[in-house]
């Protein structure tokens, strides 16, 4: 698996290859992502503030556009 920021070119040095033993692709991805990304639940104040800044709420149950682009290649 490659840890790569979708918007960053590989030449920028922001990608790294991993060999992960896991029973599923999802578990392997979760293992790598936990090392690099922290996600917290938003409080009511966070929601009001971020929506006020124009940040859209994303639905994790829908495929992302980057998932579709990766599958098309």
């Amino acid at each position: 698996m490659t840890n790569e920021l979708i918007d960053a070119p590989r030449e920028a040095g922001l990608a790294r290859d991993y060999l992960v033993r896991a029973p599923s692709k999802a578990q392997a991805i979760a293992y790598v992502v936990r090392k690099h990304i922290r996600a917290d639940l938003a409080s009511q104040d966070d929601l009001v503030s971020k929506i006020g800044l124009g940040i859209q709420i994303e639905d994790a149950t829908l495929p992302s556009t980057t998932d579709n682009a990766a599958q098309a290649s």
Side-chain angles (χ1 to χ4, degrees), residues 1 8 13 18 20 24 29 33 35 38 45 47 54 60 64 71:
M1 159 180 354
Y18 289 83
V20 178
S24 70
I29 291 169
V33 168
K35 295 177 166 219
R38 187 186 84 222
D45 289 339
L47 289 171
S64 73
Q71 290 174 358

Side-chain angles (χ1 to χ4, degrees), residues 1-24:
M1 159 180 354
T2 299
N3 167 33
E4 186 170 358
L5 297 175
I6 300 300
D7 297 331
R10 188 170 182 84
E11 301 79 37
L14 298 174
R16 177 180 160 206
D17 292 332
Y18 289 83
L19 295 174
V20 178
R21 180 178 290 138
S24 70

Side-chain angles (χ1 to χ4, degrees), residues 19-71:
L19 295 174
V20 178
R21 180 178 290 138
S24 70
K25 180 178 178 179
Q27 192 168 1
I29 291 169
Y31 173 82
V32 173
V33 168
R34 273 194 306 268
K35 295 177 166 219
H36 302 282
I37 296 174
R38 187 186 84 222
D40 297 319
L41 293 175
S43 69
Q44 189 69 31
D45 289 339
D46 292 334
L47 289 171
V48 171
S49 172
K50 303 299 183 192
I51 290 172
L53 293 172
I55 297 174
Q56 300 292 312
I57 296 174
E58 299 183 39
D59 187 340
T61 63
L62 301 174
S64 73
T65 55
T66 55
D67 289 344
N68 294 337
Q71 290 174 358

